[in-house]
Amino acid sequence: VQLVESGGGLVQAGGSLRLSCATSGRTFSSYSLGWFRQSPGKECEFVAAISGSASSTYYADSVQGRFTISRDNAVMTSYLQMNSLKPEDTAVYYCAARRTAVPSTATDSYHYWGQGTQVTVSS
């Protein structure tokens, strides 16, 4: 399974970005997907996750109500819509896949990772 993120960039505080994660693989719907982020000097942290069928979603408290995770199994792509961005959202954002349809918030439970995309929010 290969994952490729796109959509990062520079945005002003209060703005929006939509990240995409294009995935290869035959059984995309059997994988749960997660988004994580890492800032310089900080550990990688959970942002959002979605089940294989998209029936369940989970969010970190810091992004609840501002970010929305979704997936389109027909095109094997996951999305992270980020609204009301804050400077503290600045990080490299990673997409990850887990070999089960049940999502997790645990970083070490994901088996495949993308290369990351930089999101910078200016104040």
Side-chain angles (χ1 to χ4, degrees):
V1 176
Q2 293 184 327
L3 301 96
V4 180
E5 302 97 334
S6 61
L10 173 64
V11 64
Q12 289 188 332
S16 298
L17 282 174
R18 188 175 84 151
L19 305 183
S20 298
C21 176
T23 306
S24 65
R26 295 182 179 180
T27 56
F28 180 71
S29 62
S30 68
Y31 291 84
S32 56
L33 301 172
W35 285 92
F36 296 80
R37 65 187 183 187
Q38 187 167 24
S39 304
K42 295 185 178 180
E43 293 186 354
C44 186
E45 66 171 347
F46 168 76
V47 175
I50 188 167
S51 63
S53 66
S55 60
S56 299
T57 57
Y58 302 89
Y59 296 94
D61 290 343
S62 58
V63 307
Q64 180 76 49
R66 299 188 298 122
F67 290 13
T68 302
I69 188 172
S70 62
R71 64 189 293 164
D72 186 339
N73 288 347
V75 295
M76 298 194 296
T77 301
S78 171
Y79 306 97
L80 185 68
Q81 177 67 44
M82 305 186 295
N83 299 328
S84 302
L85 283 161
K86 305 175 181 180
E88 51 264 43
D89 294 319
T90 295
V92 177
Y93 283 71
Y94 297 92
C95 174
R98 179 171 140 89
R99 287 194 302 258
T100 170
V102 178
S104 170
T105 63
T107 306
D108 60 3
S109 70
Y110 284 79
H111 303 98
Y112 307 100
W113 291 80
Q115 82 290 348
T117 185
Q118 176 70 47
V119 171
T120 303
V121 184
S122 63
S123 57

